[in-house]
Amino acid sequence: MMPGYFIHIWLFFFAVFVREIKVEEVKKGLYSRVELTGEKLDQHTADSLKSVEWTKRNRSTTCLCFRLTITKSSVSYSQCCGTARFYLNNNTLILENVTERDEGVFIETIDTGDRTKEWLNVTLTIQYPPNATGIVVSWTSSTSVTLKCEVSGLFQHLMWKREGVSILEKHRHSFSERNQTLHISNITSSEYGSYSCIASNAYGESEKHTYITGNGTRDETRSDQTVLSSGLTLTCVLGLCLVFYCLYKYHHRHRAENGKTTDGGEAAIDLGIYQEIPDFGEVTPLPCVYTDFIKPRESSQASAAAQHFEESGYSEVGPSCREPVSNEESTACPEAGEE
């Protein structure tokens, strides 16, 4: 009898202190505005209201989101519910830009003057748009190919496109697994190109691309990475060429300013790639020897010529001797010992 007695007591206090417990479920999209509305407060409840509290229970943690104390006219919010606002006239707690951390069970507690409490439990579930993670391509033969769109999350619709044009189901195109898989039979070269799958639900959509060419595929994401890598490589090569050009110009200008010799007069060491041909030195003219082989007719001219040769350091070549031709003209050659 004792256990039954305690049960009746518990039911009595439950009926007195707890007037109503309501459980609801709300599903909202990511970054949306959520309104958690309780029962409309009647005039009697509003007049006897002492406080209103909203708490959130998420997994193993519980925090106080909002508290309104009527007797003290105080309002307090906490950060565990993000950006929240409460409106007493319609008994609504509003959450702005909800994220994954806002998921949980929200509990409203109303304390009235007659010690009666009303409870409201609202389970908030955040809905996300689907995420298309990739397209798996498999060739069943040389002319038949299967494309499967991998999607994480729940989706309501899935559509396939080729070069931006929707693909309709016909004799050579068929779909399966809620349109996740596309089968193409007897594919021709005119059907090569970019294929994309678009998964969507009420909260958004996601798209993934791939490229089919012959008996193979090319992921456009990887292609963009390849183009990016090529661009970076070309930029590095151009940068190195610019550095070498600047070094060459600097060395050429430095060599032109310093000249070809050092301060000690010694030849400067040329570190350039090309060997510079040195300029020819100044040529010293050879001395000229002037010889007058025509004997002056007058004695004054002879003495002047002799004086000129003596001053120049050269001897005058005397008249030549020859054999007499006649008695009238004869020039005797001096003897060897005669001056």
Side-chain angles (χ1 to χ4, degrees), residues 56-325:
K56 185 182 76 171
R57 185 173 66 248
N58 187 7
R59 297 174 185 174
S60 60
T61 61
T62 302
C63 65
L64 179 63
C65 294
F66 162 78
R67 183 171 186 175
L68 170 63
T69 304
I70 304 298
T71 57
K72 298 181 181 180
S73 300
S74 63
V75 179
S76 60
Y77 294 90
S78 69
Q79 297 296 326
C80 69
C81 295
T83 304
R85 294 291 182 270
F86 178 77
Y87 296 94
L88 182 60
N89 56 350
N90 57 359
N91 192 21
T92 302
L93 179 68
I94 298 179
L95 306 176
E96 301 287 349
N97 297 324
V98 293
T99 60
E100 183 180 6
R101 68 184 184 89
D102 294 318
E103 285 187 322
V105 179
F106 290 80
I107 304 171
E108 182 190 28
T109 304
I110 298 177
D111 189 1
T112 59
D114 56 0
R115 303 174 65 86
T116 302
K117 293 186 178 181
E118 293 186 0
W119 299 76
L120 174 65
N121 290 2
V122 181
T123 302
L124 176 61
T125 303
I126 305 299
Q127 299 291 323
Y128 299 89
N131 182 25
T133 58
I135 299 177
V136 179
V137 181
S138 57
W139 289 83
T140 56
S141 66
S142 60
T143 58
S144 298
V145 62
T146 300
L147 293 80
K148 183 175 182 179
C149 183
E150 295 184 338
V151 183
S152 62
L154 300 177
F155 66 91
Q156 295 176 343
H157 306 283
L158 196 146
M159 185 186 342
W160 287 91
K161 290 184 178 182
R162 188 187 74 84
E163 300 295 343
V165 180
S166 299
I167 299 176
L168 302 179
E169 190 169 10
K170 51 187 178 180
H171 64 282
R172 291 194 303 108
H173 296 83
S174 60
F175 302 99
S176 62
E177 299 179 280
R178 297 179 58 200
N179 287 4
Q180 272 192 265
T181 304
L182 169 64
H183 306 275
I184 306 176
S185 59
N186 297 326
I187 188 172
T188 60
S189 59
S190 62
E191 296 177 296
Y192 297 159
S194 176
Y195 284 78
S196 59
C197 65
I198 305 171
S200 61
N201 59 17
Y203 307 102
E205 65 180 27
S206 179
E207 185 173 355
K208 192 65 179 178
H209 306 269
T210 190
Y211 195 89
I212 296 180
T213 170
N215 194 4
T217 60
R218 175 173 59 87
D219 193 342
E220 291 189 354
T221 303
R222 296 180 180 177
S223 176
D224 295 339
Q225 294 176 353
T226 303
V227 172
L228 179 61
S229 301
S230 302
L232 291 176
T233 303
L234 180 60
T235 303
C236 293
V237 172
L238 293 178
L240 288 176
C241 293
L242 181 61
V243 170
F244 282 122
Y245 177 76
C246 293
L247 290 176
Y248 170 75
K249 295 294 290 183
Y250 171 78
H251 176 71
H252 183 72
R253 185 174 62 253
H254 183 72
R255 185 174 57 186
E257 293 176 354
N258 294 342
K260 302 175 185 177
T261 59
T262 61
D263 295 337
E266 299 177 355
I269 300 176
D270 189 2
L271 299 179
I273 299 177
Y274 302 100
Q275 183 178 1
E276 184 176 347
I277 301 176
D279 297 333
F280 290 103
E282 185 178 357
V283 180
T284 304
L286 296 176
C288 298
V289 179
Y290 300 94
T291 304
D292 190 0
F293 291 96
I294 303 175
K295 187 176 180 61
R297 296 180 179 180
E298 296 180 2
S299 60
S300 60
Q301 295 180 354
S303 60
Q307 183 179 1
H308 169 73
F309 281 108
E310 288 179 0
E311 291 179 356
S312 300
Y314 299 97
S315 60
E316 182 182 2
V317 179
S320 60
C321 60
R322 58 181 180 179
E323 294 295 330
V325 178

